[in-house]
Amino acid sequence: MNGDPFDLGAEEPEAGPPAPGAPAAPATYLDALNPEQRRAVETTEGPVLVLSGAGTGKTRVLTTRLAHILAQRLARPHECLAVTFTNKAAREMRHRVAELVGGMAEGVWLGTFHALGARILRRHAEQAGLGDAFTILDDDDQKRLVKQLLEAENVDTKRWPVRNVLGAIQRWKDRALGPDGVPDDEAEGWLVRLYRQYQERLRTLNAVDFGDLLLLPVHLFQQDPDIAAEYQRRFRYILVDEYQDTNVAQYLWLRLLATGHHNLCCVGDDDQAIYSWRGAEVANILRFEHDYPDAAVIRLERNYRSTDRILEAASHLIAHNDSRMGKRLHAETGATGPGIQVRAVWDGEAEARVIGDLIEEERRAGRSLEEMAVLVRAGLQTREIEERLIVLGTPYRVLGGPRFYERQEIRDALAYLRVINQPADDLAFERIVNVPKRGLGAAAL
């Protein structure tokens, strides 16, 4: 991906004291909050950890807290930093804040870790060793680059698949480790050497990968105290969503930015920490009180989404987790709900048959297919279920599929634009030199 997929808006004025004027009167938006939510919104000074269980209104807390800071004139919009994990969540949050305070939300630094990291790098490209128009490589480009390096090193790609090598590099970046920071006992020497070559090749291409969008700003703050101080002064309030899913680089990034004022509000749920396989460290949320001894810890335990039976079953399972801060959800609606059924099956095919039979039972009972959903943990699990529904003649729709930027024709179009924008982008050139077919083979290339 190239250019500004992470563009967050125009530049803002330099940080300064809050805008003049008396704080606004208590707004009606506070009336919609329960006592715990309101405490999380109004505790604006110092570190705050909001332990938010599923369905307890964490998005409402985040958006209302940001709106409250702006409405009470505690900071200008560009002095507020709000971090989410997806672009969709960022758009929703911006929309909700605008509904509460209107145009006062314009200028807030609100986006994903990667989007905000990209914005910082655009502002300080030279200090980070990059050119102004650097490219952000997608997964496909990263794999092709690693494959080239492995071939040049005569590494057996059957023993060391490209995906595994790239995964090792990204895990180091998730921990904010550059090639010189990898511990000697963590990898074979050639793998660290290849990591160094990978980073050097990125610099030659004037490019970064997604891991660099976190790694480079952290190193920039650590190595240049003036730049770090600039952003520490700028961001008077920092809000973070899904804190349990942060990795080491994100943790360090937030710690560096919150140095001084400690006005850091993190919302998360240690019981929903399921992304350790992609670098997330649940220890980040568990040690919040150790990092900030004066932190206010607020638990949101009123669930507005589920029935008591579902919450009780979940609570009994979660209680067996070793590392958790502890909370117990209860249904605010008071609804008991139907009982939970557990079916044990031998394999995926048996599971698909059970699901198909249940759907048919519900249809015979008069329930519409539009009222039914099958949730799976991973996309690959849908195949056997789809096959069973086809046999039964049951209409269905699979939600999801390739993302827009992952489609081959979109990658090709972006590669053309990248070459126009930056002729030194050899990876993009190699992709499109024979697209459409021009009779150019490896020898011509």
Side-chain angles (χ1 to χ4, degrees), residues 139-302:
D139 291 341
D140 187 55
D141 284 331
Q142 294 172 49
K143 290 174 183 175
R144 290 196 296 123
L145 179 53
V146 169
K147 183 178 180 181
Q148 291 175 2
L149 295 173
L150 289 173
E151 290 174 349
E153 288 284 310
N154 294 318
V155 175
D156 183 0
T157 54
K158 290 184 178 179
R159 181 182 177 191
W160 291 97
V162 171
R163 182 177 57 186
N164 292 6
V165 173
L166 186 58
I169 292 174
Q170 293 306 317
R171 282 192 293 274
W172 286 326
K173 291 189 177 187
D174 287 342
R175 294 163 56 197
L177 298 175
D180 296 330
V182 177
D184 294 336
D185 61 346
E186 282 203 14
E188 298 184 30
W190 72 267
L191 188 51
V192 177
R193 185 173 68 251
L194 188 129
Y195 179 17
R196 182 173 289 104
Q197 293 173 356
Y198 175 77
Q199 291 301 97
E200 291 171 353
R201 183 74 171 127
L202 288 177
R203 295 298 171 270
T204 301
L205 295 168
N206 191 29
V208 297
D209 62 17
F210 272 52
D212 287 328
L213 298 179
L214 298 173
L215 174 73
L216 296 183
V218 168
H219 287 185
L220 198 62
F221 293 155
Q222 290 174 332
Q223 297 165 10
D224 195 321
D226 291 337
I227 293 177
E230 173 191 341
Y231 287 95
Q232 289 160 1
R233 288 191 302 268
R234 174 185 295 273
F235 299 129
R236 299 167 58 85
Y237 293 93
I238 301 173
L239 295 81
V240 187
D241 192 12
E242 305 289 5
Y243 189 60
Q244 78 280 354
D245 291 335
T246 54
N247 59 36
V248 173
Q250 291 160 340
Y251 166 82
L252 292 173
W253 191 76
L254 293 169
R255 287 268 291 175
L256 288 164
L257 288 175
T259 298
H261 58 68
H262 287 180
N263 288 336
L264 174 66
C265 175
C266 295
V267 178
D269 184 1
D270 51 323
D271 292 327
Q272 295 188 63
I274 59 174
Y275 290 116
S276 60
W277 57 273
R278 69 179 187 193
E281 291 278 352
V282 68
N284 292 348
I285 195 170
L286 296 176
R287 66 169 169 242
F288 191 89
E289 290 179 280
H290 177 268
D291 291 339
Y292 304 99
D294 58 335
V297 179
I298 302 168
R299 287 170 168 80
L300 304 184
E301 299 176 312
R302 305 183 191 214

Side-chain angles (χ1 to χ4, degrees), residues 378-426:
L380 57 88
Q381 292 176 289
T382 66
R383 183 180 61 82
E384 290 164 324
I385 298 172
E386 285 187 76
E387 290 176 352
R388 182 60 183 169
L389 294 178
I390 290 171
V391 169
L392 294 173
T394 304
Y396 68 90
R397 179 176 57 184
V398 178
L399 302 181
R403 296 174 182 169
F404 180 76
Y405 286 105
E406 293 176 353
R407 298 178 185 275
Q408 180 176 335
E409 63 273 21
I410 302 303
R411 292 181 189 271
D412 293 342
L414 284 172
Y416 271 96
L417 295 174
R418 283 166 48 187
V419 172
I420 293 171
N421 183 63
Q422 187 176 197
D425 193 336
D426 291 347

Side-chain angles (χ1 to χ4, degrees), residues 12-20 73-80 230 232-237:
E12 65 293 314
E14 290 302 310
R73 305 185 192 280
L74 301 177
R76 290 182 168 96
H78 66 268
E79 295 172 327
C80 298
E230 173 191 341
Q232 289 160 1
R233 288 191 302 268
R234 174 185 295 273
F235 299 129
R236 299 167 58 85
Y237 293 93

Side-chain angles (χ1 to χ4, degrees), residues 51-54 56 268-272 299-301 315 318 324-329:
L51 287 175
S52 177
T56 57
D269 184 1
D270 51 323
D271 292 327
Q272 295 188 63
R299 287 170 168 80
L300 304 184
E301 299 176 312
S315 295
I318 292 170
R324 62 190 301 262
M325 300 185 72
K327 61 184 175 304
R328 192 172 188 86
L329 303 184

Side-chain angles (χ1 to χ4, degrees), residues 55-132:
T56 57
K58 71 179 179 64
T59 304
R60 171 176 286 186
V61 166
L62 274 173
T63 54
T64 308
R65 179 184 173 90
L66 180 53
H68 185 68
I69 289 170
L70 296 172
Q72 296 301 304
R73 305 185 192 280
L74 301 177
R76 290 182 168 96
H78 66 268
E79 295 172 327
C80 298
L81 173 70
V83 190
T84 66
F85 265 82
T86 67
N87 290 318
K88 180 181 178 181
R91 288 192 297 269
E92 180 183 356
M93 188 172 176
R94 188 178 294 278
H95 175 72
R96 289 200 192 185
V97 174
E99 284 185 331
L100 295 174
V101 295
M104 293 182 69
E106 291 296 323
V108 172
W109 281 55
L110 196 163
T112 65
F113 278 102
H114 293 98
L116 296 165
R119 183 172 181 177
I120 291 171
L121 285 181
R122 295 285 179 201
R123 293 164 59 95
H124 303 282
E126 184 177 351
Q127 294 95 324
L130 298 165
D132 290 338

